[in-house]
Amino acid sequence: MSVLVTGATGFIALHLVKDLLNENYKVIGTVRSIEKGDNLKAQFDNNPLLTTVVVKDIAAVSAFDEVFEQHKEQIKIVLHTASPFHFKTTDYEKDLLIPAIHGTKSILESIKKYGAQTVERVVITSSIAAVKDTARFAEADFVYNEDAWNPVTWEGSTVNAPDAYRGSKKFAEKAAWDFLEENRDVVKFQLTTVCPSLIFGPQAFAASAAGQLNTSSEVINSFLHAGPEADLSGLKNDFVDVRDVSKAHLIAFQSKSATGQRLGVNSGQFNSKDLSEILSQNFPQLKGKLPKTTDEGANKTEPYAKFDTSKTKKILGFEFINLEKSVCDTAKQILDAEKSL
Ligand code: NDP
């Protein structure tokens, strides 16, 4: 029995692979090149439980067929994490929307073709971006939960990169639920989606913590490096630690109560001031080096729309890592990695 992890070299996926191997699962990871596969296997000391298959572009037609042709009946669990998460494009459809949506449809079509009766559980990494209505973000008394959908339209998803990313997560996740509805009599698998908020926490491998990091870790990385002249007052968001996100993916396929659910994985809220206080209190060497967070107006500290994830918390049954620990562990790993360069 194997677990297929798509996008296995990603920030979240590396933690997933680590946790799965620790629980003695056989893992098949998709990677974009042979070199990335070799590097991944080396990171896990060539653990014989880990194999890789190259899927260069999830947007390609039948992108995952080869994975199933090679491993067919072995694959019982699919964790689909691969999807572009960056804002470095102006071709929103090609670089964000299409790969997210095609990638999701493509893995489900391959399951239908090769694993309709063998794949038991599918977990798709969606996002709070598919849930949250950003237009209501500033409403302190607005509460939404795992049933909500971000109202962005296709047209609205093609005007800037953040909205394109929000659209990519919404339309990809919807495509998964629609697929299941249309193929309920054909496929055996149960679906769960995981909707994390902005993810902090250490990289799975300390050596990867220097230089440019994945989009969410860059929030802390750039805060550490912006310098005292910069003003980063306006930051505010919901967050969760990557170690909890990985745990949630495992519970998503191991627990019966997670079947058919959207799991909102969220630890709490933060703003620039919180980051500044936590970093200056825990890392005396950063005194006088952190960006300004004092700009009145932009640096509103009052609460904003709340993601009520009480249903998910009951299913997951563990306490989330808090902001201070998550930020400190992230920052310490970055600072240590830089010291050792
Ligand atoms: P990463 O960028 O670290 O990982 C993304 C993975 O997907 C990488 O392995 C990447 O490969 C792969 N990938 C992206 N585009 C393609 C493509 N066209 N073809 C093949 N592979 C592709 O991001 P995260 O780990 O942060 O994100 C993983 C998932 O979690 C995404 O679905 C993201 O939307 C979701 N998510 C992330 C959050 C966060 O704050 N980090 C919050 C909520 C959801 P390569 O690196 O080789 O390009």
Side-chain angles (χ1 to χ4, degrees), residues 7-13 32 36 55-59 81-85 99 125-128 165 169 196-199 214 216:
T9 54
F11 171 53
I12 300 174
R32 300 187 85 168
K36 286 192 176 193
V55 174
K56 203 163 175 252
D57 186 2
I58 54 172
T81 81
S83 201
F85 181 20
T125 316
S126 185
S127 171
I128 193 176
Y165 176 68
K169 298 310 289 180
S197 43
L198 189 73
I199 304 174
N214 58 290
S216 58

Side-chain angles (χ1 to χ4, degrees), residues 241-269:
D241 191 278
V242 67
R243 292 161 288 191
D244 288 341
V245 175
S246 180
K247 253 197 220 176
H249 278 75
L250 265 68
I251 295 170
F253 76 80
Q254 291 168 332
S255 136
K256 254 199 177 138
S257 58
T259 58
Q261 300 289 344
R262 300 176 85 202
L263 302 179
V265 186
N266 182 38
S267 178
Q269 304 187 327

Side-chain angles (χ1 to χ4, degrees), residues 288-307:
K289 295 186 179 159
L290 291 168
K292 294 194 247 304
T293 57
T294 51
D295 181 32
E296 288 304 319
N299 189 32
K300 289 186 186 124
T301 50
E302 63 259 28
Y304 39 91
K306 190 168 175 296
F307 190 11

Side-chain angles (χ1 to χ4, degrees), residues 70-284:
Q70 282 185 34
H71 293 280
K72 266 193 202 115
E73 286 89 16
Q74 292 169 39
I75 302 171
K76 296 260 187 289
I77 315 290
V78 174
L79 309 183
H80 178 53
T81 81
S83 201
F85 181 20
H86 63 82
F87 307 123
K88 292 175 279 185
T89 180
T90 50
D91 197 340
Y92 311 123
E93 286 195 12
K94 177 174 157 288
D95 294 329
L96 292 171
L97 289 151
I98 301 291
I101 299 162
H102 284 199
T104 300
K105 286 184 175 171
S106 182
I107 187 111
L108 298 175
E109 287 295 345
S110 295
I111 294 170
K112 182 177 168 185
K113 196 161 154 194
Y114 298 94
Q117 293 311 311
T118 44
V119 173
E120 293 167 1
R121 301 290 288 260
V122 174
V123 178
I124 292 184
T125 316
S126 185
S127 171
I128 193 176
V131 181
K132 177 164 77 179
D133 180 351
T134 41
R136 305 196 67 180
F137 191 50
E139 292 176 35
D141 52 3
F142 179 59
V143 180
Y144 58 101
N145 64 21
E146 298 93 341
D147 295 332
W149 286 95
N150 142 21
V152 73
T153 60
W154 185 268
E155 290 68 34
S157 304
T158 55
V159 290
N160 60 52
D163 282 326
Y165 176 68
R166 288 180 195 112
S168 80
K169 298 310 289 180
K170 169 185 170 175
F171 295 121
E173 191 193 336
K174 278 214 179 265
W177 291 114
D178 289 348
F179 180 96
L180 187 60
E181 195 55 42
E182 286 154 23
N183 292 280
R184 223 174 256 287
D185 300 335
V186 189
V187 294
K188 179 181 168 187
F189 72 79
Q190 308 270 13
L191 179 64
T192 303
T193 60
V194 178
C195 302
S197 43
L198 189 73
I199 304 174
F200 293 154
Q203 304 292 318
F205 294 96
S208 326
Q212 173 89 21
L213 302 178
N214 58 290
T215 301
S216 58
S217 304
E218 266 305 311
V219 172
I220 293 181
N221 201 18
S222 49
F223 202 89
L224 288 171
H225 294 106
E229 295 311 313
D231 190 334
L232 295 186
S233 297
L235 287 178
K236 52 165 69 175
N237 218 324
D238 299 271
F239 84 96
V240 64
D241 191 278
V242 67
R243 292 161 288 191
D244 288 341
V245 175
S246 180
K247 253 197 220 176
H249 278 75
L250 265 68
I251 295 170
F253 76 80
Q254 291 168 332
S255 136
K256 254 199 177 138
S257 58
T259 58
Q261 300 289 344
R262 300 176 85 202
L263 302 179
V265 186
N266 182 38
S267 178
Q269 304 187 327
F270 76 95
N271 60 32
S272 333
K273 213 164 181 193
D274 297 325
L275 293 187
S276 182
E277 279 171 12
I278 289 171
L279 290 171
S280 53
Q281 279 162 15
N282 288 280
F283 301 89

